């Protein structure tokens, strides 16, 4: 039996206001929560017990995923009353593992969509007798990330923070958010306080002389932390650019059960129309996520945007590269462009927004 820890305790700050009511890993991407896609990938790699490291809105995970039986795995729930960071979260969740000290534990960040071959990384970890293996990916803009240089044998040389100058970039390899730990290494992480796996645990392992390796996989990888990335991930799942095992038919759109789309409307480019949602006549929906129980009234244009659960969009609205959160009622003729965001549970009169929010200074406590 192989066990895993899935870190799902973050606030999802960059995705607000979508994460006011729902933690980021439980937001639906192409009809399934992000966490379900990750669990499906784990199950395909013969991982059968997964501990979810929860904190923010922990109850939503248990309500949505239960004991894991519907996904073919066993799910246990670890809870952090106060957030402990990535390293502290791993240590806290490990209390619910059952494996031995030399056994592998796979750790996933809860906000990444990836095509990595988990079994390949496990095999290399075992073959090289490593204490820890990191899944690495190559990116075009390494300056936006911390980087992880390795030698010719794949041994990790350092963990570097985001470079301040372009000339300080030494590699395009970055931490892609999946690790293989020997269980006994996890047991050395400090308890009862905030610990960063990236800034504290990994550098300390190198200083202590443990064998930490990087395994580069240049397949699909996407951090779902922003609305633009979230839309891309959903579209890529719908069209089959990334496969997690939950979607079996790929097309230009995904229309879920009970959804109604008028024949005169166009839904294209990987868009999703959620359960029991309705799209009235003469609408254009392109590269967008329409969640469950949404009404899109006639003659709307929705492009590269997210319309969250229960929202009602009035006739003739134009929404481009923007977000309308849960249970918003938006008046006819409104225009939202350029990463505008309307926060949840509001009735909004006709408005034009350009890189603005409603309300202007929202305070939802996180």
């Amino acid at each position: 039996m192989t066990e895993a820890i899935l870190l799902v305790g973050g606030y999802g700050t960059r995705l607000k206001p979508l994460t006011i009511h729902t933690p980021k890993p439980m937001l639906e991407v192409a009809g399934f929560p992000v966490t379900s896609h990750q669990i499906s990938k784990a199950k395909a790699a013969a991982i059968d017990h997964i501990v979810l490291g929860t904190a923010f809105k922990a109850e939503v995970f248990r309500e949505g995923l239960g004991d894991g039986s519907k996904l073919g795995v066993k799910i246990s729930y670890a809870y952090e009353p106060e957030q402990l960071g990535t390293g502290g979260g791993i240590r806290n969740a490990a209390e619910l593992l059952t494996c031995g000290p030399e056994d592998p534990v796979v750790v996933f960040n809860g906000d990444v969509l990836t095509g990595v071959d988990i079994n390949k990384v496990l095999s290399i970890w075992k073959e090289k007798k490593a204490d820890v293996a990191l899944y690495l990916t190559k990116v075009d803009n390494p300056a936006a990330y911390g980087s992880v240089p390795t030698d010719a044998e794949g041994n990790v040389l350092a963990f570097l923070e985001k470079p301040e100058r372009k000339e300080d970039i030494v590699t395009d390899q970055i931490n892609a958010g999946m690790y293989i730990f020997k269980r006994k290494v996890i047991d050395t992480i400090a308890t009862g306080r905030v610990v960063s796996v990236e800034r504290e645990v990994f550098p300390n392992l190198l200083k202590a002389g443990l064998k930490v390796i990087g395994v580069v996989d240049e397949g699909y990888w996407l951090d779902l932390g922003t609305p633009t990335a979230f839309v891309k991930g959903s579209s890529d799942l719908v069209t089959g650019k990334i496969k997690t095992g939950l979607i079996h038919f790929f097309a230009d759109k995904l229309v879920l059960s009970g959804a109604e789309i008028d024949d005169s409307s166009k839904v294209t480019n990987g868009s999703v129309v959620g359960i029991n949602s309705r799209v009235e006549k003469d609408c254009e929906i392109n590269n967008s996520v329409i969640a469950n129980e949404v009404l899109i009234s006639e003659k709307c244009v929705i492009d590269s945007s997210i319309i969250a659960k229960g929202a009602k969009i009035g006739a003739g609205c134009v929404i481009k590269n923007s977000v309308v959160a849960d249970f918003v009622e938006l008046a006819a003729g409104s225009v939202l462009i350029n990463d505008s965001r309307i926060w949840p549970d509001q009735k909004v009169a006709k408005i034009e927004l350009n890189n603005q929010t409603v309300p202007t200074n929202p305070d939802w406590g996180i």
Side-chain angles (χ1 to χ4, degrees), residues 207-248:
K207 290 176 185 176
L210 274 69
K211 188 172 183 64
V212 181
I213 64 170
V215 180
V216 177
D217 186 306
E218 296 191 59
Y220 187 98
W221 178 84
L222 184 65
D223 173 357
L224 294 170
T226 66
T228 298
F230 193 88
V231 169
K232 174 175 171 52
S234 182
S235 175
D236 288 348
L237 283 161
V238 170
T239 58
K241 291 180 182 176
I242 171 67
K243 299 179 174 77
T244 63
L246 293 181
I247 299 172
H248 304 291

Side-chain angles (χ1 to χ4, degrees), residues 21-86:
H21 294 319
T22 305
K24 176 170 60 174
M26 288 301 288
L27 292 171
E28 290 194 0
V29 187
F32 295 91
V34 177
T35 299
S36 294
H37 288 290
Q38 293 181 306
I39 290 172
S40 179
K41 286 281 293 181
K43 180 179 182 293
I47 294 169
D48 47 17
H49 178 213
I50 300 173
V51 180
L52 265 58
T54 68
F56 175 63
K57 291 193 175 294
E59 70 282 357
V60 176
F61 294 93
R62 195 180 293 272
E63 291 166 2
L65 302 171
D67 63 2
S69 56
K70 290 182 179 178
L71 291 165
V73 299
K74 176 186 175 183
I75 297 177
S76 301
Y77 295 89
Y79 176 62
E80 302 164 37
E82 295 183 4
Q83 290 193 331
L84 296 171
T86 47

Side-chain angles (χ1 to χ4, degrees), residues 66-121:
D67 63 2
S69 56
K70 290 182 179 178
L71 291 165
V73 299
K74 176 186 175 183
I75 297 177
S76 301
Y77 295 89
Y79 176 62
E80 302 164 37
E82 295 183 4
Q83 290 193 331
L84 296 171
T86 47
I90 292 169
R91 181 67 177 87
N92 185 64
E95 296 296 323
L96 299 178
L97 299 173
T98 62
C99 59
E102 298 291 329
D103 291 332
V105 177
V106 185
V107 178
F108 302 95
N109 285 352
D111 54 2
V112 172
L113 193 60
T114 173
V116 66
D117 184 339
I118 299 169
N119 280 328
K120 173 188 170 185
V121 182

